[in-house]
Amino acid sequence: MTRKTHAVRNALLATAALLTLGATPAQAAPQETFPGNWLYLTLTTGDAHSSSIRGTLLLCDPPQGHSHAAEACAELATTGGDISRIPPKPDTICSMIYGPVTAVARGEWEGRQVTYSHTFSNSCVMGAETGAVFALSG
């Protein structure tokens, strides 16, 4: 097992343990650094009364972490790792149904700390504004 694979496995196990113990997404970010560009991504769907949390570690050297990792890493590369600078998809039409989704990213890009948090009205709006970065499901 390579050092990178071992580090990723340990970070994912630690994150799973934190989530199991009821930690909030901000506390669940891995404290370990990884070589290259990486982000720990979490999505919280729902409101304060009922919500679900899921997350993954996105590594970009090489791209891995979720099914759209290569596309997400390419989009982040064009913005210097700044998720808020990903160009919105102008041809996306989203319903006006309220289904809040909070997207959080913490990590490192080109040696700089990255912190991002935004609540979108629904997952369609999130996808239109953040591209493949938070596309955690297939």
Side-chain angles (χ1 to χ4, degrees), residues 94-100 121-123 125:
C94 297
S95 68
M96 294 182 65
I97 297 173
Y98 184 68
S121 58
N122 60 47
S123 59
V125 174

Side-chain angles (χ1 to χ4, degrees), residues 44-70:
T44 304
T45 55
D47 57 20
H49 300 290
S50 66
S51 64
S52 67
I53 300 171
R54 61 189 165 145
T56 193
L57 180 65
L58 173 65
L59 299 170
C60 290
D61 300 314
Q64 53 187 321
H66 59 71
S67 59
H68 303 282

Side-chain angles (χ1 to χ4, degrees), residues 38-134:
W38 64 274
L39 295 175
Y40 184 73
L41 308 167
T42 59
L43 288 178
T44 304
T45 55
D47 57 20
H49 300 290
S50 66
S51 64
S52 67
I53 300 171
R54 61 189 165 145
T56 193
L57 180 65
L58 173 65
L59 299 170
C60 290
D61 300 314
Q64 53 187 321
H66 59 71
S67 59
H68 303 282
E71 185 180 354
C73 291
E75 289 171 346
L76 288 164
T78 64
T79 65
D82 186 347
I83 297 168
S84 64
R85 289 183 40 216
I86 293 174
K89 296 177 182 170
D91 56 346
T92 303
I93 299 173
C94 297
S95 68
M96 294 182 65
I97 297 173
Y98 184 68
V101 179
T102 301
V104 176
R106 297 192 190 295
E108 190 173 297
W109 196 270
E110 296 175 1
R112 293 183 332 273
Q113 292 255 335
V114 173
T115 303
Y116 174 88
S117 180
H118 188 80
T119 299
F120 298 92
S121 58
N122 60 47
S123 59
C124 178
V125 174
M126 178 192 69
E129 294 186 22
T130 64
V133 175
F134 290 99

